[in-house]
Amino acid sequence: ANMSFPFSPRRRRDYSIDRLRVLYTDLIQHIDFTDEDLGRRAVNDEDRSIHKKSMRFSFRKKLIPDNLNDTFEIETRDNPNIDYAVGNEVVSLLAAFRMLAATKSPDKEGDHLGSAARDDYIVAAMSSAKKVENRVVEILEEIGEIVVHVERTTSDIRGDSVFEYFCEKNILSLIVDITKTKEKKPTDAKLADTSCHGVVWSPLVKAQCFQTTSLLLSNVQNSSVVYYLLSHNYINEQITCMTPFQQWTHSSLTKMMPEYVELLKNVTMQLTDDPSLFPFLIIDDPENGSTKFPLFSAALELATSAFAQSDSSVYDTCITVVVNLMKIKSESVEKWFMSASSEQKILSDHLSQRLLNRYNRVCDLCTGPVVDFVRARAVNGELSKLYDDMGVIRDVFWSTRGLDVRLCESLLQRVVSVLLKNILPPRQDAQFLDVGVVDADVIPQREARAQVSTLFLAFLFSNLAYSPFQRMLAVAVLHPVSTPLWLSSRSVKQFGEDEYVFMPALSDIVTGEESRKEVCPNRFRAEVLNALEGKYGDWRFISSACLIQTIFNAESIVNDSLTLMNILPHFDASGYTESPLEDALVTFLEKEHKPSRIVSQALECAGQLAIQIVSFSVKHCSTIPEPREALDYVLENSKAWSALGEAYHGFCAEAAELKEATGVSDIFLDLLEATIRNRYKGNTQQSGATIYSCSLSHQALNRKLSESELLVRKNRDCGMNDVESARFFINMALHYRALHKIIDHKLRLSLSVDQEPGPLEFVDEADFLTRTIGRLDDKPGVGTEMDLTGRMTFRFHLPTAPKKSPEKDSPIVKAKASALILVLDPTDLFVVRPTLTRLEENLSSVLYSISLRSVIAAAADGNWLHVAVRHPDIDRLIKNGNMAVQFENTGASLIVKQYLDRSREVLRQEMLTKVKELLPL
């Protein structure tokens, strides 16, 4: 049976003033601070009396002697139960605490770390020291719980005896002092060998101090208590005592860091909720004439430390603290951040260097065989982390005025300069290798860096939506003129700590003041255009096309900017102005393309890029004010539009040639149908109608930037034969047909005399022809009523069911065999069941429908008809592709077979006619 003690309730005793006195007195005894160090925090006679009374009823073993002349009873392996007197022969607790201390010291480093630990006396002393350590941790934890409980349950916190005692003894300052105290030198004669003072050096004790302070800050609700906790720089001192982080051992950091980071987060939450607390969290430095913000400085230093780089959770929390502090809408906070130039530079350089490190890791992973599942997964992981890193940079860009400029310059110096250099070939007289298409290709390091650099530039455009940075990056990549600083051999350090180099140079190029700085032709622009011509193969073309598309899609890159950079065609009174980008794209489209997955992606990107060029030309056709006439004029003169048409007809011709090949002619319609159904996805509207559409922009850009397929592929491509080649050309013909529809239909319909064309939606809705060939039209569903009047119908029976049939609950088995009817339509066959209540109306309920295009062949066997179909099993009707039905006589079976054969042939010829309309073969 459970025993109940005749004492006051446990909960009541735990949170009383007496309990707090006992805990505090116990803590003072264990940490062994002198009265001189404690001051008014020293225990008095009343504290000792209450503590003594509590120990009478305590079952806890006494861990420390009442005075230094007592002895420790320590049991060793060789001599159990031997007393060691105080003096030279005593087992030193102080030495044990030095072993447990959080700071680095020579006796805890090197190859002889374990030599002392193997001594019996040290082992015994370590055991005693750990018991004292655990007790101090328990006391600190319980003190925090008592104060929080009282604050939450007392209406008048200022008049509460527990909180009054907490303030009287200044317990918070004691907790901070415990956190700040570090290991003293062995030569310090103030500490006796049996002193327990060394327990405050323990990382577990310091971690508990952080946790207790964090508990107080996160749970108190009274503003007066919050002001008290933040006053006298207690929190600031506790935060700064951890820096520099190099002073702690790695194992100690592992123990302390979670609680320390939690403290930083809770203080940040308090400040975010109430920005008026900011004066409590800053420290004036009159000597340097500056103001310190320990919370931000510590979070930033920890985020940039080696420990945080190896612990993602610590880094993510610290960088979130940094960003959230910069987002606080307070004049005093914003003023401090604007004046914190050193912190701004540290943060900017760290974020830039982190991007550069990510880039180098991706480059290393991409060097090697182009097909590798393990490396592809690793690249995907790095790209996912890259999105997170850029999300932080995007938040920093919009947080503090002044920091955006410094961050732009840092990104240009540390990241963009490296990316642009690696776009160039190793020598001016050399070219990159054409790799990345064949599965057997091995990507050299130079080609890998060029591909990754191009994609990283696209990532910068698509994710860092900060207008000044995007404009400068566009000038660096596409402007005809560049600065030789990009190719300078000077390192970042040689540019100077606060020197702005690239931003003024790019600004001079835009404003036309090149005379102020040395300029040169833009080699990076030339290399991007070379890649778009296909000189370096389809692998490099895709990444370059993605880069150009992200520049076009950036909201900050207005059309006037593209015109200024002379990258796109222009139609004015003088006629047509040639475009290097259009010429490069036309050159690529006119090349011969061998079927492969990479070539398919390259052609998709080329098509979308050509459409964007045409759309831009229509918007800037100043010769003809009427938009529809301008569209006709551009389509008549545009090289890109002409190249699209020629490519489309070329794909159709290739598909027509393969249609007659052996092994393809019989399944060409099936290939076309499968391709259509794979491209177009249904979307049910509120009206109940289903619209089938295909997102071309998703295929051409977003998917490619978010996956590793452009760098390292997970799986090999299937071997190319006539069937796969036909599938490739069918897909390309459908894609380019959809691109033509976007211009011919969508753009033309959106134009009016008083309206300029808006942004193009790269979504193609399946038209009637596409839906018919792809079998995308809705068919009568299960349970739909069908009027049999005028239809070809035959009654039939199902095969005999096995004794143990698992399909006894299916709709076709529930129906009586004599009631089933086979309905033959020109395009489908249906299995229906007459509606018994409405026989006079000749209505039946549809059970199943099968397209005649799924029928392979039919054979009559007496009154049985066997039909081979490509269809999933249907109860007793279809099994393993064989549909067996029994009619009333042999004549009915033969009639159904003949009708099926004739209907299939008629349907086939009709579909071939429609195919010529869909794809002019």
Side-chain angles (χ1 to χ4, degrees):
N2 294 331
M3 297 180 60
S4 59
F5 293 92
F7 302 125
S8 59
R10 174 72 177 170
R11 181 179 180 85
R12 192 174 181 182
R13 187 178 70 238
D14 281 348
Y15 301 112
S16 64
I17 177 62
D18 291 343
R19 180 60 182 169
L20 182 59
R21 287 177 180 271
V22 170
L23 290 171
Y24 183 70
T25 305
D26 207 8
L27 176 64
I28 295 299
Q29 289 185 0
H30 280 82
I31 63 177
D32 197 16
F33 273 31
T34 63
D35 290 344
E36 180 181 354
D37 294 333
L38 291 173
R40 68 185 180 91
R41 299 176 300 187
V43 296
N44 52 33
D45 293 338
E46 184 179 0
D47 296 330
R48 295 190 185 92
S49 174
I50 295 175
H51 179 268
K52 189 174 182 180
K53 291 179 181 179
S54 68
M55 294 304 293
R56 296 178 185 175
F57 302 100
S58 175
F59 295 98
R60 184 183 299 276
K61 183 177 179 180
K62 198 171 187 179
L63 299 178
I64 58 175
D66 290 334
N67 56 70
L68 296 180
N69 294 322
D70 289 347
T71 59
F72 288 88
E73 182 177 327
I74 300 177
E75 181 178 319
T76 65
R77 291 192 300 268
D78 301 326
N79 302 293
N81 298 323
I82 294 182
D83 292 343
Y84 292 85
V86 176
N88 293 332
E89 298 180 0
V90 75
V91 175
S92 176
L93 273 180
L94 195 61
F97 282 124
R98 291 190 187 280
M99 297 294 295
L100 294 176
T103 51
K104 295 179 180 179
S105 60
D107 58 338
K108 291 182 289 184
E109 300 173 0
D111 298 332
H112 303 290
L113 174 62
S115 60
R118 286 192 291 269
D119 186 274
D120 288 337
Y121 305 134
I122 296 297
V123 170
M126 288 286 288
S127 177
S128 298
K130 285 182 177 296
K131 292 178 181 178
V132 176
E133 177 187 60
N134 293 335
R135 177 57 181 156
V136 172
V137 169
E138 292 176 5
I139 294 172
L140 290 170
E141 181 180 11
E142 194 169 351
I143 287 176
E145 292 175 353
I146 290 175
V147 177
V148 170
H149 176 268
V150 169
E151 193 274 339
R152 287 198 165 189
T153 57
T154 304
S155 57
D156 184 14
I157 185 64
R158 295 186 177 182
D160 185 81
S161 58
V162 171
F163 185 72
E164 184 179 352
Y165 184 83
F166 179 82
C167 298
E168 176 189 347
K169 293 299 183 180
N170 209 355
I171 297 179
L172 180 59
S173 68
L174 178 63
I175 294 175
V176 174
D177 286 346
I178 294 174
T179 312
K180 293 165 52 180
T181 305
K182 300 173 184 177
E183 178 186 359
K184 293 182 172 60
K185 297 180 180 179
T187 56
D188 195 335
K190 294 182 180 180
L191 298 177
D193 285 341
T194 55
S195 173
C196 293
H197 176 76
V199 71
V200 298
W201 305 335
S202 162
L204 291 179
V205 172
K206 295 183 183 297
Q208 185 56 52
C209 289
F210 292 132
Q211 185 185 30
T212 300
T213 307
S214 182
L215 177 71
L216 294 173
L217 282 172
S218 60
N219 287 278
V220 295
Q221 300 173 350
N222 189 287
S223 58
S224 300
V225 179
V226 175
Y227 294 152
Y228 170 76
L229 295 175
L230 296 178
S231 62
H232 302 290
N233 282 328
Y234 293 144
I235 303 301
N236 290 333
E237 292 178 6
Q238 193 171 28
I239 290 174
T240 55
C241 73
M242 280 289 288
T243 58
F245 298 102
Q246 294 82 0
Q247 64 183 312
W248 313 104
T249 64
H250 182 77
S251 59
S252 300
L253 284 175
T254 305
K255 298 172 184 176
M256 295 187 296
M257 203 52 70
E259 307 303 336
Y260 181 71
V261 171
E262 188 69 18
L263 174 63
L264 297 180
K265 184 175 72 173
N266 286 326
V267 177
T268 302
M269 292 174 63
Q270 289 284 352
L271 182 58
T272 303
D273 294 339
D274 186 5
S276 64
L277 298 175
F278 181 68
F280 292 96
L281 296 173
I282 57 176
I283 301 176
D284 292 328
D285 187 3
E287 296 182 0
N288 299 324
S290 61
T291 302
K292 296 181 179 179
F293 188 10
L295 175 60
F296 180 83
S297 301
L300 179 58
E301 184 175 350
L302 179 54
T304 57
S305 67
F307 181 85
Q309 303 308 310
S310 61
D311 191 322
S312 59
S313 61
V314 171
Y315 177 81
D316 292 341
T317 306
C318 290
I319 206 68
T320 302
V321 167
V322 168
V323 172
N324 288 340
L325 289 175
M326 291 190 295
K327 287 183 176 180
I328 295 177
K329 299 301 180 182
S330 170
E331 183 178 355
S332 56
V333 177
E334 292 175 355
K335 184 178 179 180
W336 184 89
F337 277 116
M338 292 176 60
S339 63
S341 57
S342 60
E343 285 81 359
Q344 288 184 10
K345 180 171 179 55
I346 292 173
L347 179 59
S348 300
D349 292 348
H350 164 71
L351 294 176
S352 301
Q353 188 62 40
R354 188 172 175 85
L355 274 188
L356 185 60
N357 294 340
R358 188 81 62 197
Y359 163 79
N360 290 327
R361 283 195 290 271
V362 175
C363 288
D364 293 340
L365 288 170
C366 294
T367 304
V370 71
V371 179
D372 189 321
F373 182 81
V374 176
R375 287 170 43 239
R377 290 187 59 185
V379 171
N380 272 334
E382 292 296 329
L383 294 181
S384 176
K385 295 175 183 177
L386 177 63
Y387 278 112
D388 297 336
D389 293 340
M390 289 191 175
V392 174
I393 295 177
R394 187 168 56 249
D395 291 339
V396 172
F397 263 134
W398 296 100
S399 59
T400 302
R401 189 174 59 185
L403 179 57
D404 51 352
V405 179
R406 190 179 297 273
L407 183 54
C408 279
E409 179 67 25
S410 180
L411 287 171
L412 293 172
Q413 287 187 16
R414 294 176 176 267
V415 182
V416 177
S417 61
V418 176
L419 300 180
L420 293 178
K421 287 179 182 178
N422 285 326
I423 286 180
L424 302 179
R427 302 186 312 275
Q428 291 193 16
D429 58 343
Q431 290 187 351
F432 290 104
L433 301 177
D434 183 357
V435 294
V437 178
V438 182
D439 290 339
D441 283 347
V442 176
I443 309 300
Q445 184 182 32
R446 200 69 190 85
E447 278 68 15
R449 284 191 168 272
Q451 179 80 342
V452 176
S453 297
T454 308
L455 286 177
F456 259 65
L457 287 172
F459 271 114
L460 292 176
F461 271 109
S462 60
N463 289 279
L464 300 186
Y466 183 68
S467 299
F469 177 73
Q470 286 184 329
R471 294 193 188 103
M472 287 184 287
L473 193 56
V475 171
V477 175
L478 295 182
H479 200 280
V481 178
S482 181
T483 170
L485 291 173
W486 295 118
L487 302 176
S488 173
S489 59
R490 295 171 64 188
S491 64
V492 175
K493 294 182 179 179
Q494 291 175 324
F495 282 126
E497 289 295 327
D498 295 317
E499 185 177 356
Y500 290 87
V501 179
F502 291 101
M503 292 177 62
L506 294 173
S507 178
D508 290 343
I509 290 175
V510 173
T511 57
E513 299 179 3
E514 297 94 339
S515 57
R516 291 171 46 187
K517 298 286 180 89
E518 184 181 357
V519 295
C520 61
N522 194 341
R523 291 180 57 194
F524 314 115
R525 166 187 165 121
E527 285 304 314
V528 171
L529 294 176
N530 286 339
L532 288 175
E533 287 184 13
K535 288 185 177 181
Y536 307 141
D538 300 290
W539 191 59
R540 280 287 302 279
F541 174 87
I542 301 174
S543 59
S544 299
C546 289
L547 172 59
I548 298 298
Q549 287 179 37
T550 54
I551 295 176
F552 285 173
N553 295 337
E555 295 181 359
S556 60
I557 309 300
V558 296
N559 296 327
D560 293 339
S561 301
L562 297 174
T563 304
L564 176 66
M565 290 183 283
N566 191 26
I567 196 69
L568 289 174
H570 186 64
F571 295 87
D572 53 20
S574 60
Y576 170 75
T577 304
E578 293 187 357
S579 158
L581 175 61
E582 187 179 37
D583 292 341
L585 190 60
V586 170
T587 302
F588 177 80
L589 289 173
E590 290 177 348
K591 290 178 57 179
E592 180 182 357
H593 301 283
K594 296 181 179 180
S596 72
R597 182 172 57 172
I598 293 298
V599 174
S600 176
Q601 295 180 7
L603 289 171
E604 288 176 356
C605 288
Q608 181 174 352
L609 199 54
I611 291 298
Q612 288 180 307
I613 292 175
V614 172
S615 175
F616 174 87
S617 301
V618 173
K619 294 178 182 179
H620 291 77
C621 183
S622 57
T623 306
I624 304 175
E626 205 281 318
R628 294 186 181 181
E629 294 182 6
L631 174 61
D632 294 333
Y633 177 75
V634 169
L635 295 184
E636 183 179 352
N637 294 276
S638 172
K639 291 182 179 180
W641 180 253
S642 176
L644 274 179
E646 292 178 2
Y648 169 57
H649 289 95
F651 296 139
C652 292
E654 293 285 352
E657 182 179 350
L658 287 170
K659 184 175 73 72
E660 306 301 330
T662 304
V664 179
S665 58
D666 293 337
I667 62 172
F668 186 82
L669 279 175
D670 298 328
L671 289 176
L672 181 55
E673 176 189 335
T675 304
I676 291 175
R677 296 177 72 88
N678 186 54
R679 287 179 62 87
Y680 294 89
K681 305 301 179 183
N683 183 21
T684 303
Q685 305 297 308
Q686 293 182 352
S687 61
T690 301
I691 296 179
Y692 293 87
S693 60
C694 172
S695 175
L696 306 180
S697 60
H698 173 72
Q699 289 185 357
L701 179 61
N702 297 337
R703 183 182 62 190
K704 294 175 178 57
L705 287 180
S706 61
E707 297 179 356
S708 65
E709 289 297 302
L710 292 183
L711 300 172
V712 183
R713 298 196 285 273
K714 293 182 180 180
N715 304 309
R716 294 183 177 274
D717 286 336
C718 59
M720 278 295 165
N721 50 31
D722 288 345
V723 173
E724 293 302 324
S725 297
R727 193 193 306 272
F728 168 84
F729 287 114
I730 289 173
N731 185 56
M732 287 297 98
L734 290 174
H735 186 82
Y736 276 65
R737 179 179 184 269
L739 293 175
H740 273 77
K741 286 171 58 181
I742 289 177
I743 295 295
D744 265 345
H745 297 163
K746 285 196 171 183
L747 183 58
R748 190 179 298 277
L749 290 175
S750 66
L751 295 177
S752 64
V753 177
D754 299 327
Q755 180 182 353
E756 293 185 358
L760 284 178
E761 293 184 2
F762 286 87
V763 178
D764 176 43
E765 294 183 3
D767 53 19
F768 174 76
L769 199 58
T770 305
R771 294 197 307 270
T772 301
I773 298 177
R775 285 199 292 162
L776 301 179
D777 288 330
D778 295 334
K779 301 294 182 181
V782 176
T784 304
E785 288 190 346
M786 175 182 288
D787 188 0
L788 301 184
T789 304
R791 297 178 182 268
M792 184 74 70
T793 61
F794 298 88
R795 293 184 178 273
F796 71 93
H797 302 275
L798 291 173
T800 304
K803 293 182 179 180
K804 296 182 179 180
S805 176
E807 304 138 349
K808 58 184 179 181
D809 295 331
S810 63
I812 195 169
V813 175
K814 285 182 177 181
K816 294 182 179 180
S818 59
L820 295 179
I821 299 176
L822 185 68
V823 181
L824 299 180
D825 271 8
T827 59
D828 300 271
L829 59 87
F830 300 93
V831 176
V832 301
R833 179 181 58 188
T835 304
L836 298 179
T837 59
R838 304 176 67 180
L839 288 176
E840 67 282 358
E841 298 180 14
N842 203 18
L843 296 178
S844 296
S845 176
V846 176
L847 299 181
Y848 295 103
S849 65
I850 302 172
S851 173
L852 291 186
R853 290 165 62 181
S854 299
V855 176
I856 301 173
D861 182 14
N863 60 347
W864 282 91
L865 180 66
H866 298 276
V867 183
V869 295
R870 290 186 296 269
H871 199 281
D873 290 354
I874 299 178
D875 306 330
R876 288 157 54 190
L877 183 64
I878 299 178
K879 188 70 173 179
N880 297 329
N882 179 36
M883 175 179 169
V885 292
Q886 184 181 15
F887 296 97
E888 296 177 353
N889 51 60
T890 304
S893 175
L894 291 174
I895 292 174
V896 173
K897 178 186 179 304
Q898 293 174 1
Y899 188 85
L900 273 177
D901 293 340
R902 185 171 62 254
S903 298
R904 288 177 57 230
E905 183 60 26
V906 171
L907 180 61
R908 173 179 171 79
Q909 295 303 322
E910 182 182 345
M911 287 297 105
L912 289 176
T913 303
K914 292 183 181 297
V915 167
K916 293 180 181 180
E917 298 177 16
L918 180 69
L919 305 175
L921 303 178

